[in-house]
Structure formats: C-alpha cells, structure tokens
C-alpha cells in the first residue's frame, strides 16, 4: 500500500523505502495506532546514497538557474496540489491541528518560491584591487553534498527551509527526517520533488534515527550539516564536524522568556501567552516557556491566562476540530508531567491543567514558579505556562537571561520604545515586542544565540551564503613581476 492511500484508509502501510535496516513503526500519537512501518537505512546504505548524490552534484550545479528555478516552482505547485494529503499525514503522524498544518504548508510553498528566485541572485561580487589591472572576484560555490537532519514538530518546514535553498545553490542534499515524521517530513518531500522534475540522484532520503544521522555527520563527502533538533544532539554534531572543519548550521533548543511589564495590555499579553505556550501542544522550539510577569499585574494576567487555557479543547486532530492535538509520544507526556510534579514539590501551584489522558495533555498554567525549579530551567516542549514574578525591570532582564539557551523572547509593554530598548538587553537571537515568541517569517534570517545554535541564520538573503562556500578568484591579463 502506498502512503497516498493510507491517509484515507484504516489499512496498514508497508512502505518500501528500499533500505534494509530494522523496520520501525509509524504511530499515530492521538490513538497509539500503528499506521505502518518502514525500513531504516543502515550506515552502509547511507554511504551509498551520499556517494550517488556526490556523483550527481556537479551536473546539477551546472544546470542553468532557469532549470533549477523551474523545478523549485513546480515543487511549490506540487505542495499546493497535495495539500489534503499533507494535512492528513501531518495530523495523523505528527498530531498537528489543521490551522498549524495549513500555516506550515503555506510557509513551505513560500520557501519554494523564494528558493526558486534565489537561483537568479548574483553568484558573487567584483572587488577593486591594489594591483593595477587585476580583477578580483568573490564567487559563491556550492558546498557539494549537504546533509539535512530535521525534527518531527514542523517536519515539512524544518526540512524544507534547508533542503530548498541548498538545492537552489547547486548542492545535492541528503535528508534525514525524524522517524516519528518520516512520511510527512521525508517520503512526501522526496516524492513531490521527483514529481517536480528533480533528478533522482540529487536528493537522497534516509529513513531512521541516530544511525543514518550519524553516518551523514561522519561521512567525509558531506560538506555541510544543516541540523534542527535538540541542543544535546546539536552539540555532538558540532564536535564531530569540528574535527574535519565541516560547515554546520545548527538550530537548537529554546527556553524562551515572555516578559509582561507593569504597563502591558493584559488582554493582548494573555492572548499572546496562550498562543505562544499552547500552540502545537507547546512542542515548538520558540514556545513561550517562561512567563516573567511584573508583580503588580500578575494576578490579572494569571486569571486571564487560566481562563483562556480552560476554553481550549484537546483532541484528535484527524477526527475532530480541536485547539490542541496529542503530544508526540508517551515519553514526552511523562517528561512534561515530571517537570510539573518536581516543580510542585518545590512550591509551585498548578492552577489549571497538569493532567494527561494518554498523550492528550491539558493546557496547564503554573504559578509561584521560582528560578530554581525545573519548569523554569528546562525546555518544556509541552503545553505548560509557568509564571514567575518580578519587581524591577533589571530583575526581569536578569531572569530572561538566566538560561543557557537564547532562541526567542518577547516583551509586553505599553511603551514600544521601552520594549525596543529592553530587546537590546536580552541575550536571544530573536526578540518580539508586544507579540509572543513563536514567530517565523520565511524571508527573515532566523536563529538563536548561546546554546540555541551556532549563531548561524537560515532564511531570506542569508541563505545565499549559508549554503555555499566562498572562493576568491583574481585574474590578470599578463603575469606580474615581483622584486625577486
Ligand atoms: P533530536 O535532537 O532528538 O532529533 C532531531 C533529529 O536528529 C532527528 O532527525 C533525529 O533522528 C536525529 N538524531 C538523533 N540523534 C542523532 C545523532 N546522534 N546524530 C545525528 N542525528 C541524530 O530532537 P527532538 O528532541 O526530537 O526535537 C526537539 C528539539 O528540537 C527541541 O529541543 C527543540 O527546541 C528543537 N527544535 C529547534 C528548532 C529551531 O529552529 N531552533 C526547531 C524545532 C525544534
């Protein structure tokens, strides 16, 4: 049975990946039902895919920009034409509610058009020379084979935001999706790019977990690893890549501060908070994870947020309309429960939620949180809003900066100039004034600071440099005479 059928039926998918590693299950998180299985790629098979991509890359890099742009534009059309299939898999395999899936798909379509347009960008610059008659060129060249390793929470977007610009710049790509989103973030991408006319050997896809991922990282013929995932795995990838000076683009974890100052509009702040904390069950790197609230407005803010949380319905996004779907797996539900229980044992109070029905976790608001509690210190990746209070602006900034992670942050204030000033004091790669922390616009450079990444950026104009190397070529008409 093909993956296009399983989305609409109750049969089990036995998708032939063409690999011989151990088969793993594709499980529907809302029901625990096994939807199908697929064989993982072994390290040897990963090496064979990399070799095929390496051999195909020079010809791909030499195609005209019109050819590459045409394929990328047709891929955007393929995404749009297959929207229902994609939404169904995103709901069933990854627990995405429909609006989240629709936003993700639209962002991918825009990414594809942007990547198509970027094939037309200048491939370098001319510089003047200190030597008369010399032409100095800075030329962008493809990296070669780019390994893209993606997580399961926005499986399509977090793969494509690297796959598409890498292809546009003339690289071959080997994609390793998370096993929990192998259809949405792997098989569908591979098949729709093939349908758009991408030569088969220019894109490889490796189903499986750490083994094929590590093979990509360690292989001498991958020139770059674009990784989105946890800080722990990102750190180990950075260490491996440093040994061979392999280029990396690392987009890692977050524990994002959401500051509410005493002059904030509480209706808007609590709306932003509910969205930033509970969207996609809080399983977003930019989740509003630490609510740092001025003591004078804490009560009003907390009440408003509890009310919003109580109005949310948690269910199965494939069969019913709901605000929140399931957490991705039972381990994640246990981890979130443990973070809450450990914080409660240290004095925190659960005001609403805190309970889970299988992987269906109620949106949770926790008050009386302190900076020593696990809910403050750790990335939650579940629908929990921990609230900590402060007295002075300085205290708010130190609480915001008291994390080794620095991905996103937000500040709510009635004075946008004050917000802009404070944004400059927060150690995070992205800060939003009078909004929440979950923001992604495909054309704006995106990324974190500190342990949230290698401070590289993906998105918009920076993609041209992110997915290429630079070469300096200088040309003289005649040879030069040196003093000896
Ligand atoms: P993870 O690091 O466990 O897995 C991510 C990917 O890495 C998966 O494809 C996985 O199979 C692969 N992988 C696992 N071990 C590997 C290894 N040793 N070598 C190579 N590849 C390996 O991440 P996760 O916990 O599943 O995802 C959630 C994390 O991702 C959170 O920390 C979240 O904040 C982060 N994230 C970051 C961003 C961002 O843009 N900064 C976006 C989404 C998620």
């Amino acid at each position: 049975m093909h993956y296009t059928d399983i989305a609409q039926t109750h049969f089990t998918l036995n998708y032939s990946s063409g690999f011989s590693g151990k088969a793993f299950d594709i499980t529907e998180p809302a029901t625990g039902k096994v939807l199908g299985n697929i064989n993982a790629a072994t390290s040897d098979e990963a090496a064979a895919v990399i070799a095929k991509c390496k051999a195909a890359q020079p010809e791909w890099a030499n195609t005209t920009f019109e050819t590459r742009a045409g394929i990328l534009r047709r891929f955007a059309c393929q995404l749009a034409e297959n929207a229902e299939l994609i939404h169904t898999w995103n709901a069933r395999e990854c627990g995405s509610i429909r609006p989240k899936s629709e936003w993700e798909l639209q962002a991918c379509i825009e990414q594809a058009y942007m990547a198509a347009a970027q094939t037309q960008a200048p491939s370098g610059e001319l510089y003047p020379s200190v030597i008369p008659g010399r032409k100095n060129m800075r030329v962008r060249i493809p990296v070669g084979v780019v390994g893209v390793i993606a997580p399961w929470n926005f499986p399509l977007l977090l793969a494509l935001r690297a796959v598409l610009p890498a292809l546009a710049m003339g690289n071959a790509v080997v994609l390793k999706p998370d096993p929990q989103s192998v259809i949405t973030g792997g098989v569908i991408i591979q098949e729709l790019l093939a349908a758009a006319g991408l030569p088969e050997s220019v894109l490889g896809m490796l189903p499986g977990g750490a083994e094929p991922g590590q093979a990509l990282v360690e292989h001498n013929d991958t020139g770059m690893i674009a990784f989105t995932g946890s800080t722990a795995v990102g750190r180990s990838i950075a260490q491996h890549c440093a040994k061979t000076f392999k280029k990396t683009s690392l987009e890692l974890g977050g524990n994002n501060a959401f500051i509410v100052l005493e002059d904030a509009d509480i209706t808007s702040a609590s709306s932003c908070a509910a969205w930033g904390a509970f969207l996609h069950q809080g399983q977003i790197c930019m989740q509003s994870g630490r609510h740092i609230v001025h003591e004078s407005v804490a009560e009003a803010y907390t009440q408003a947020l509890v009310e919003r949380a109580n109005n949310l319905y948690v269910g199965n996004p494939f069969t019913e309309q709901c605000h929140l779907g399931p957490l991705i797996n039972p381990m994640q539900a246990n981890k979130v429960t443990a973070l809450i229980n450990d914080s409660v044992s240290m004095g925190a109070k659960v005001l609403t939620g805190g309970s889970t029905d299988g992987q269906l976790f109620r949106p949770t608001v926790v008050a009386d949180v302190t900076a020593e509690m696990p809910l403050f210190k750790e990335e939650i990746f579940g629908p929990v809003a921990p609230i900590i209070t402060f007295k002075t602006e300085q205290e708010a900034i130190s609480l915001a900066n008291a994390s080794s992670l620095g991905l996103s942050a937000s500040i709510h204030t009635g004075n946008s100039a004050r917000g802009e000033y404070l944004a400059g004091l927060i150690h995070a790669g992205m800060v939003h004034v009078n909004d929440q922390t979950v923001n992604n616009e495909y054309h704006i450079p995106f990324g974190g600071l500190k342990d949230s990444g290698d401070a590289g950026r993906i998105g918009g104009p920076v993609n041209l440099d992110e997915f290429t190397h630079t070469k300096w070529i200088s040309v003289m008409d005649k040879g030069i005479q040196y003093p000896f």
Side-chain angles (χ1 to χ4, degrees):
M1 171 150 287
H2 196 255
Y3 79 96
T4 48
D5 304 314
I6 186 73
Q8 313 303 339
T9 70
H10 297 288
F11 296 106
T12 300
L13 168 78
N14 289 307
Y15 186 83
S16 167
S17 65
F19 295 108
S20 68
K22 198 166 177 272
F24 59 90
D25 286 341
I26 299 162
T27 306
E28 185 171 42
T31 59
K33 182 177 157 50
V34 174
L35 299 176
N37 55 66
I38 182 166
N39 284 89
T42 63
S43 301
D44 287 347
E45 286 167 334
V49 170
I50 294 166
K52 212 162 123 180
C53 286
K54 188 187 174 197
Q57 186 269 329
E59 194 181 329
W60 172 246
N62 282 332
T63 54
T64 65
F65 78 83
E66 287 166 310
T67 303
R68 275 177 280 133
I71 290 169
L72 292 165
R73 283 194 297 266
R74 283 198 295 281
F75 176 64
C77 297
Q78 286 289 334
L79 287 172
E81 283 163 21
N82 288 280
E84 279 314 311
L85 180 76
I86 291 168
H87 295 320
T88 305
W89 272 106
N90 211 342
R92 297 203 75 179
E93 188 182 34
C94 313
S96 299
I97 61 167
R98 179 77 179 209
K100 179 265 188 191
S101 185
E102 284 175 354
W103 178 86
E104 184 176 4
L105 179 60
Q106 190 53 38
C108 291
I109 291 170
E110 299 294 353
Q111 287 276 356
Y113 284 123
M114 182 175 72
Q118 286 185 325
T119 61
Q120 304 170 0
S123 44
E125 294 124 18
L126 282 180
Y127 288 82
S129 177
V130 294
I131 301 172
R134 174 149 89 171
K135 185 157 82 177
N136 273 328
M137 291 170 281
R138 179 238 169 164
V139 182
R140 280 194 196 91
I141 54 169
V143 171
V145 179
V146 175
V148 175
I149 302 178
W152 46 265
N153 59 339
F154 280 71
L156 205 58
L157 178 62
L158 299 181
L160 288 175
R161 73 178 179 180
V163 169
L164 297 174
L167 289 174
M169 297 295 116
N171 300 286
V173 173
V174 182
L175 167 65
K176 212 293 292 165
D178 191 281
Q180 295 164 110
S181 53
V182 65
I183 302 290
T184 318
V187 170
I188 290 179
I189 291 174
Q190 188 180 34
E191 296 208 3
L192 296 188
L193 272 167
L198 186 74
E200 193 217 330
S201 306
V202 173
L203 177 81
M205 197 280 287
L206 304 175
E211 183 185 339
Q214 246 161 357
L216 260 187
V217 171
E218 289 171 13
H219 202 287
N220 284 340
D221 289 336
T222 48
M224 173 178 182
I225 299 296
F227 171 80
T228 302
S230 63
T231 295
V233 173
R235 199 184 300 284
S236 89
I237 288 176
Q239 282 162 355
H240 277 296
C241 291
K243 282 190 217 149
T244 52
F245 305 114
K246 192 175 290 192
K247 192 168 184 175
T248 53
S249 163
L250 303 174
E251 301 288 351
L252 310 177
N255 186 5
N256 311 292
F258 181 101
I259 300 177
V260 183
L261 298 175
E262 73 287 353
D263 59 354
D265 171 348
I266 297 303
T267 306
S268 155
S270 60
S271 168
C272 288
W275 184 264
F278 305 140
L279 179 68
H280 199 39
Q281 302 77 265
Q283 302 170 122
I284 304 181
C285 55
M286 295 168 282
Q287 181 198 21
S288 304
R290 293 180 293 143
H291 298 238
I292 300 170
V293 183
H294 192 272
E295 59 178 9
S296 65
V297 291
E299 196 180 328
Y301 173 81
T302 306
Q303 262 177 19
L305 186 53
V306 166
E307 198 174 310
R308 289 182 191 279
N310 287 340
N311 285 335
L312 299 178
Y313 176 68
V314 188
N316 177 348
F318 180 55
T319 56
E320 55 190 337
Q321 270 202 356
C322 44
H323 301 100
L324 278 75
L327 292 181
I328 190 72
N329 58 42
M331 283 86 72
Q332 194 54 26
N334 292 341
K335 187 196 140 193
V336 178
T337 307
L339 287 175
I340 294 171
N341 290 346
D342 291 350
S343 300
V344 166
S345 72
M346 293 168 76
K349 280 196 193 74
V350 175
L351 302 181
T352 188
S355 60
T356 182
D357 168 11
Q359 283 153 246
L360 301 181
F361 208 104
R362 284 286 321 149
T364 299
V365 179
V366 184
D368 295 347
V369 171
T370 67
E372 291 69 42
M373 293 180 184
L375 275 180
F376 183 87
K377 288 179 16 188
E378 290 184 37
E379 182 180 34
I380 303 169
F381 240 55
V384 185
I387 299 173
I388 184 168
T389 58
F390 67 89
K391 286 186 173 55
T392 65
E393 197 176 90
Q394 204 181 16
E395 199 188 337
I397 298 301
S398 359
L399 282 168
N401 289 337
S403 169
S404 59
L405 299 170
L407 188 58
S408 183
S410 72
I411 304 169
H412 286 261
T413 170
N415 178 345
S416 57
R418 181 185 182 197
E420 193 173 334
Y421 167 73
L422 294 176
L425 303 181
I426 294 182
H427 303 151
M430 302 175 283
V431 186
H432 305 287
V433 177
N434 289 325
D435 196 351
Q436 42 78 48
T437 51
V438 182
N439 267 289
N440 184 336
E441 296 192 38
Y442 62 92
H443 60 297
I444 297 179
F446 174 104
L449 299 178
K450 302 200 280 187
D451 289 358
S452 290
D454 56 0
R457 290 291 180 271
I458 289 193
V462 297
N463 284 349
L464 301 180
D465 286 338
E466 191 73 3
F467 295 97
T468 53
H469 286 312
T470 281
K471 188 183 274 188
W472 174 21
I473 298 179
S474 76
V475 179
M476 301 275 289
D477 282 343
K478 291 197 183 112
I480 199 166
Q481 291 293 319
Y482 281 96
F484 58 87

